[in-house]
Amino acid sequence: MVKFEDIKGFVFDLDGVIADTSVYHSKAWHQLADELGVAWSDDLAENLKGVGRMDSLNLILKTGGKENAYTEEEKEKYAAKKNTNYLSLLKNMNASAILPGISDFLKTLEENDYRLSLASASKNSPLVLEQLGLAKYFEKRVDPTTLKHGKPDPEIFARGAEVLGYKPEQCIGIEDAKVGVESINAAGETSVGIGDPKILHEADINFTDTTQLTLANIKAAMKVGEH
Ligand code: BG6
Ligand code: MG
């Protein structure tokens, strides 16, 4: 692992790291899966984390053996429908959806002059950040519509470092999705996984939830890794 002292930037995922929105994504996909006659499961929900809108729909269809059942046009309509459902779940969302410890963590990073960027696959991330009142921390963002590949490809996290003007080795990436951790690792950044260590076992550092996500804990974990 690189040295804690060499870290200058933090690249954040949004859904499931900064805010509790991954449950809304899940709910909206579950609703659509029911409509499409595809059985929902915890595994499917886990596999959808971090995956872009169209790729998520394709994964749901594949899981149900329906990958060839619809035209591209029909699929566009279903993806749009999911997004409408998702947006209606977001309607009353406010700062109370910020996950525990995140506001303090962001403040600490700012006070210590770290640069922050956003590496979310979600096209709704500008809206979500506004509603949470956290947009000011993330002036630097990767626009997912400009990417060729989704997570686990390194592209999004590599760009997350690039927009900060830092090398990947100078950055820590934070993720709750297995594909997200893989993307961080492939980009050459230090990965922090938030969630079940069995699922996120490839992360350099693992915290079971956001309350453990502090600069002191990251420093301690990286010091252990030096030995
Ligand atoms: C990711 C979520 O952040 O964004 C996924 O983890 C979601 O669940 C993806 O499908 C794309 O989001 P959106 O808002 O563009 O449909
Ligand atoms: Mg996520």
Side-chain angles (χ1 to χ4, degrees):
M1 224 188 298
V2 299
K3 285 197 178 71
F4 175 77
E5 287 71 25
D6 294 333
I7 296 298
K8 305 259 181 260
F10 284 78
V11 187
F12 280 78
D13 173 46
L14 173 66
D15 301 308
V17 167
I18 292 175
D20 209 7
T21 39
S22 69
V23 292
Y24 297 146
H25 277 296
S26 232
K27 234 186 205 171
W29 282 126
H30 190 165
Q31 238 168 308
L32 188 71
D34 286 350
E35 190 181 327
L36 296 170
V38 175
W40 190 253
S41 68
D42 289 348
D43 272 354
L44 178 55
E46 194 60 46
N47 291 337
L48 288 172
K49 281 186 187 170
V51 177
R53 198 178 302 170
M54 233 354 169
D55 287 344
S56 293
L57 177 59
N58 283 326
L59 186 58
I60 289 170
L61 291 173
K62 194 168 169 220
T63 304
K66 295 174 188 280
E67 57 266 64
N68 298 317
Y70 301 102
T71 63
E72 283 309 310
E73 208 181 344
E74 286 169 326
K75 287 203 275 184
E76 289 290 347
K77 271 193 201 142
Y78 282 123
K81 189 166 186 184
K82 180 268 173 179
N83 198 49
T84 305
N85 291 341
Y86 176 65
L87 289 176
S88 70
L89 292 169
L90 280 194
K91 218 162 42 201
N92 299 316
M93 188 191 67
N94 55 31
S96 66
I98 300 173
L99 284 164
I102 290 294
S103 295
D104 285 343
F105 183 53
L106 293 172
K107 262 182 229 144
T108 307
L109 294 180
E110 193 178 50
E111 282 161 12
N112 286 278
D113 295 325
Y114 289 100
R115 290 186 195 163
L116 313 185
S117 70
L118 194 77
S120 168
S122 174
K123 294 175 189 157
N124 293 302
S125 57
L127 172 80
V128 171
L129 284 176
E130 275 303 325
Q131 273 184 241
L132 298 172
L134 296 178
K136 62 173 176 168
Y137 288 107
F138 296 98
E139 282 170 10
K140 307 276 184 206
R141 298 173 192 176
V142 179
D143 175 356
T145 64
T146 64
L147 300 172
K148 286 197 188 72
H149 308 286
K151 300 168 187 178
D153 188 278
E155 188 178 17
I156 189 166
F157 275 95
R159 288 269 289 281
E162 204 178 291
V163 295
L164 295 179
Y166 290 137
K167 293 189 193 122
E169 313 86 79
Q170 295 174 296
C171 295
I172 285 179
I174 309 175
E175 262 289 350
D176 67 315
K178 185 175 161 52
V179 288
V181 167
E182 287 166 5
S183 171
I184 298 169
N185 290 346
E189 293 161 21
T190 298
S191 54
V192 172
I194 308 287
D196 187 342
K198 283 195 218 89
I199 296 168
L200 305 176
H201 59 89
E202 286 169 62
D204 296 312
I205 301 167
N206 187 266
F207 298 130
T208 50
D209 60 61
T210 51
T211 61
Q212 297 170 12
L213 183 62
T214 65
L215 200 54
N217 284 349
I218 291 174
K219 185 175 179 178
M222 292 182 81
K223 290 285 165 205
V224 171
E226 278 177 29
H227 301 296

